[in-house]
Amino acid sequence: MLKKTALAAALLSGLVAQAGHAQTATDPNSTLSPVIVTATRTAISANDALSSVTVITREDIDRLQPTSVADLLTGLPGVSISQTGGIGESTSLYLRGTNPTHVVVLIDGVRIGSVSLGLAALEQIPVDAIERIELVRGPRSSLYGSDAIGGVLQIFLRHGQPNGGVSPSVSVSGGSHGYVNGQAGVSGGDSHLWYNASLGGTYTGGIPACRMGAAELGVACDVDDPRNDAYRNWNGFANFGYRWDDGTELSFDWMRSKSNVEYAGSPYGGNDAIEEQYVAGAHLSFTPLDIWKVTLTAGQSRDDDATYYEGTYFGEYYPRMPTGYFDSRRNQASWQNDITLASNQLLTVGVDYQQEHIYSDTAFQETTRGDTGTFAQYQGTFGQNEVQLSVRHDNNDQFGDHNTGAAAWGYHFDQGPVLSVSYGTAFHAPTFDDLYFPAFGGVPTANPDLKPETSRSAEIGLNQQLSNWNWGVNAYQTRITDLIAFNTEFIPMNISRAVIRGIEGQFGFNVDDWRVQSYLTLMQPKNTESPYNGNLLPRRAKETGRVDVDRSFGKFGVGATFFASGKRYDDTANQYRMGGYATTDLRVSYNFAPSWQVEAKLANVFDHNYETAYYYNQLGRTWYLTLRYSPSIH
């Protein structure tokens, strides 16, 4: 069994600042499991996480050939994805049956997302910028504060490698619906320094976001617009880091993604948006004493959205005109201390500060609020037993004080799996829209007296994650109270409740030239509030499954992904049903010269029609072809 303190001493500094460097073991006889940082905010092996975790590496991304973050997440345990159209359209992540606002999304430790809606724009994050993704399921508010009811999704940007020399890279893609993508960058490093910088862009002519008949039915986008909705994106990301001989480490990360997104809309909400995602962070770690590690971080994230309308609406033509803007800012800072109490015992204490701002042409009643969170976590290993305890106190300018906690116990069988049992509480703070959106026509549309939504979760699991094979099963129950819903006067109130029960399974292996990974989710995300008691929560499927199969033949690689989803509903009353569906993706790659590779993918091979949001179209059969140059290709 890997010991937690040894891992922390050897890896914590580098992983906190550049966790994207972490890789699974390559020795076929190795029993090392992947190293992660998101589950406990410290460097531990996945076997020691005592929670349900999925790690997606850059190798996985290159192999799967995704065009979006949604492609990577679809079908993972506990994951339901809803998308209002094709590439670049709004994407929502439902984790373990909770709301999209119940997931903390981080980029290199910096929280992202709109403070108005409470959602992270996953569709605007370029997959070419991603080195690694860690998805931790289950309550994590005792470490991350508000929103971590369903879990935490952390994305790590691509980094240069120490002692990697200078490595240029470039890729060019083309595909269906006029799809074009390009990315070019340079990275490198020496024994102390690493760096990376890249620029890229994407264009697609798109598909009609909404299918015809929506206006007559009065659902979804509520307009009939047959035009194709195009998407354009320009992005850049960079990072720099330096490590001194004494272990002190300083690093900087930056990403900007700006998009022009067309969608089905009206003169009231627009049909064309300029969206910008920006994140910047700095990390400093050092060791004042042999037993004491200090990590200081600071960062800012921005989510800017300006909407416009041009077109004919109910027979009247409107020239291009602005319809509104909502700009979000999050300023963040953290001070974390990891203290080794004894062999295999680690105490983590720290303070997080976050200040949220909104700038808009809509006159919000309040435009800023702050939150200070203090937390403590104990991790101890006693023989084959492992214990994790964490508590957190948040003080928020709007709702005051809130406490959360979590406890987990694990038993490591000899040369075998880990049995884990855990319990945790979490909460979600109301968004600026919930609290401060101005009255419309004199009728209130917000409620400044709203309380945080709260949850209690229990889980039991049996898991084993090694370098060349993994398997696991987790069962859980989450009760959410004070859910925010609209009353009969369309004012948001804490009047709803839900109970979510589920079982997740996964199994995968790497044998010779074969790689197989499979996932299965069985879930009951149910409303427990009258008059909808027993109804499924919207846009969440009860059953999903996915199988990835890949085989290499020397310089050739072939693979397939099979995904299936059960039915789901688009509304609380369960009147608008979206049927179950299945898709098949095929892919091939050929390393035709040193550092050069050509890739091809055929997605939704059988051209199935399906919806993840009612009356919103999804891509049918599509193809993509990519030419890539990178010294990392062998």
Side-chain angles (χ1 to χ4, degrees):
M1 187 194 333
L2 293 177
K3 299 301 182 182
K4 193 181 289 86
T5 51
L7 279 166
L11 299 170
L12 177 59
S13 172
L15 284 167
V16 168
Q18 49 160 334
H21 288 174
Q23 301 290 330
T24 57
T26 56
D27 181 352
N29 298 314
S30 173
T31 60
L32 291 174
S33 69
V35 174
I36 63 173
V37 297
T38 309
T40 62
R41 297 180 59 150
T42 62
I44 62 173
S45 75
N47 271 339
D48 287 334
L50 302 187
S51 56
S52 181
V53 178
T54 299
V55 178
I56 302 172
T57 66
R58 186 66 222 180
E59 179 186 359
D60 297 325
I61 297 171
D62 290 339
R63 175 174 50 84
L64 296 171
Q65 301 180 34
T67 58
S68 66
V69 173
D71 285 349
L72 290 170
L73 300 181
T74 295
L76 295 184
V79 170
S80 285
I81 295 290
S82 173
Q83 191 163 2
T84 57
I87 295 174
E89 302 295 344
S90 179
T91 300
S92 297
L93 166 63
Y94 300 83
L95 186 56
R96 283 194 167 178
T98 63
N99 290 337
T101 54
H102 294 166
V103 181
V104 170
V105 181
L106 309 170
I107 293 183
D108 282 322
V110 178
R111 185 182 295 224
I112 67 168
S114 164
V115 302
S116 173
L117 297 173
L119 300 174
L122 297 175
E123 68 278 1
Q124 305 302 329
I125 301 174
V127 292
D128 285 324
I130 301 172
E131 178 68 26
R132 177 183 178 87
I133 295 176
E134 293 180 3
L135 179 63
V136 181
R137 290 169 283 271
R140 283 295 179 274
S141 283
S142 59
L143 293 177
Y144 291 97
S146 175
D147 305 338
I149 293 178
V152 179
L153 174 72
Q154 180 154 205
I155 295 171
F156 299 97
L157 300 178
R158 301 184 76 167
H159 285 71
Q161 298 295 326
N163 296 312
V166 179
S167 300
S169 62
V170 64
S171 67
V172 179
S173 301
S176 301
H177 308 293
Y179 178 84
V180 179
N181 176 270
Q183 200 82 26
V186 61
S187 64
D190 56 27
S191 59
H192 293 281
L193 171 72
W194 66 90
Y195 61 89
N196 184 47
S198 183
L199 295 172
T202 300
Y203 170 80
T204 175
I207 60 174
C210 220
R211 64 185 171 101
M212 299 298 289
E216 180 180 350
L217 191 60
V219 299
C221 52
D222 199 27
V223 295
D224 287 338
D225 187 352
R227 67 168 187 164
N228 289 331
D229 292 306
Y231 171 69
R232 303 167 183 83
N233 173 269
W234 306 265
N235 65 80
F237 59 94
N239 52 69
F240 164 86
Y242 192 88
R243 181 183 178 90
W244 283 266
D245 290 334
D246 65 357
T248 299
E249 189 172 283
L250 178 66
S251 65
F252 301 91
D253 301 282
W254 171 86
M255 186 196 80
R256 183 185 181 192
S257 175
K258 187 173 183 178
S259 302
N260 180 195
V261 187
E262 297 177 357
Y263 57 96
S266 71
Y268 306 102
N271 62 1
D272 191 348
I274 303 297
E275 301 180 359
E276 182 175 352
Q277 305 297 311
Y278 170 92
V279 60
H283 311 258
L284 173 65
S285 62
F286 57 95
T287 307
L289 301 173
D290 290 341
I291 63 169
W292 179 20
K293 186 82 168 184
V294 176
T295 303
L296 301 172
T297 64
Q300 183 188 77
S301 66
R302 293 179 5 208
D303 182 303
D304 297 344
D305 187 355
T307 57
Y308 303 84
Y309 184 81
E310 180 179 6
T312 302
Y313 188 74
F314 284 99
E316 183 177 356
Y317 177 76
Y318 292 81
R320 183 174 175 85
M321 62 179 186
T323 58
Y325 70 90
F326 296 87
D327 296 346
S328 297
R329 300 288 188 278
R330 275 193 175 94
N331 298 317
Q332 306 162 58
S334 177
W335 173 34
Q336 180 170 318
N337 302 270
D338 300 300
I339 304 167
T340 302
L341 301 177
S343 177
N344 301 320
Q345 296 187 56
L346 185 67
L347 175 65
T348 299
V349 294
V351 179
D352 295 331
Y353 177 73
Q354 176 178 268
Q355 189 176 59
E356 298 176 334
H357 300 266
I358 187 166
Y359 307 90
S360 176
D361 58 345
T362 298
F364 281 81
Q365 299 171 27
E366 298 286 345
T367 58
T368 185
R369 67 178 178 184
D371 184 282
T372 301
T374 55
F375 62 92
Q377 176 183 238
Y378 169 79
Q379 301 176 75
T381 301
F382 305 91
Q384 293 172 281
N385 294 276
E386 184 180 355
V387 176
Q388 295 176 5
L389 304 170
S390 57
V391 293
R392 182 181 175 106
H393 174 79
D394 280 274
N395 180 265
N396 188 282
D397 293 345
Q398 188 271 324
F399 59 78
D401 298 327
H402 198 90
N403 299 315
T404 50
W409 166 80
Y411 183 81
H412 295 252
F413 292 94
D414 290 330
Q415 304 300 318
V418 180
L419 172 67
S420 61
V421 179
S422 63
Y423 177 84
T425 61
F427 76 103
H428 162 66
T431 67
F432 273 74
D433 279 3
D434 295 330
L435 295 165
Y436 308 126
F437 201 90
F440 183 77
V443 178
T445 57
N447 182 357
D449 297 323
L450 286 172
K451 299 182 296 183
E453 300 173 331
T454 60
S455 72
R456 294 172 289 134
S457 300
E459 180 175 355
I460 183 170
L462 192 63
N463 293 270
Q464 190 168 27
Q465 295 199 34
L466 306 177
S467 62
N468 289 316
W469 63 283
N470 65 86
W471 66 273
V473 60
N474 291 75
Y476 63 91
Q477 175 178 282
T478 298
R479 291 185 178 272
I480 308 177
T481 57
D482 291 326
L483 274 170
I484 297 171
F486 290 97
N487 64 9
T488 56
E489 298 176 342
F490 297 99
I491 299 174
M493 305 287 287
N494 295 105
I495 57 176
S496 189
R497 295 176 295 175
V499 174
I500 305 166
R501 299 183 178 93
I503 298 176
E504 302 162 350
Q506 61 181 10
F507 174 73
F509 62 87
N510 301 338
V511 175
D512 296 327
D513 296 321
W514 286 92
R515 181 187 180 106
V516 176
Q517 186 67 53
S518 59
Y519 311 100
L520 177 66
T521 298
L522 304 174
M523 182 173 57
Q524 290 186 331
K526 290 189 175 181
N527 195 318
T528 59
E529 190 67 40
S530 179
Y532 304 116
N533 187 22
N535 286 8
L536 294 180
L537 297 172
R539 298 188 178 180
R540 276 148 271 205
K542 292 173 62 178
E543 312 93 2
T544 61
R546 169 176 153 181
V547 179
D548 298 330
V549 180
D550 290 272
R551 173 75 156 89
S552 63
F553 300 89
K555 296 182 178 181
F556 285 92
V558 296
T561 292
F562 308 96
F563 172 72
S565 172
K567 71 176 185 296
R568 63 185 81 185
Y569 295 92
D570 200 66
D571 63 320
T572 306
N574 286 185
Q575 293 180 340
Y576 302 130
R577 181 182 184 273
M578 296 174 285
Y581 66 96
T583 59
T584 299
D585 297 346
L586 302 178
R587 53 187 172 269
V588 62
S589 63
Y590 175 46
N591 179 203
F592 63 90
S595 303
W596 287 92
Q597 183 166 285
V598 61
E599 305 165 354
K601 179 179 178 179
L602 187 62
N604 194 2
V605 172
F606 301 105
D607 200 25
H608 286 171
N609 292 320
Y610 65 95
E611 296 174 349
T612 58
Y614 201 51
Y615 259 72
Y616 282 97
N617 292 315
Q618 298 295 303
L619 290 171
R621 183 188 300 114
T622 52
W623 62 269
Y624 304 97
L625 184 66
T626 300
L627 177 65
R628 188 183 309 277
Y629 171 81
S630 174
S632 64
I633 299 174
H634 301 292

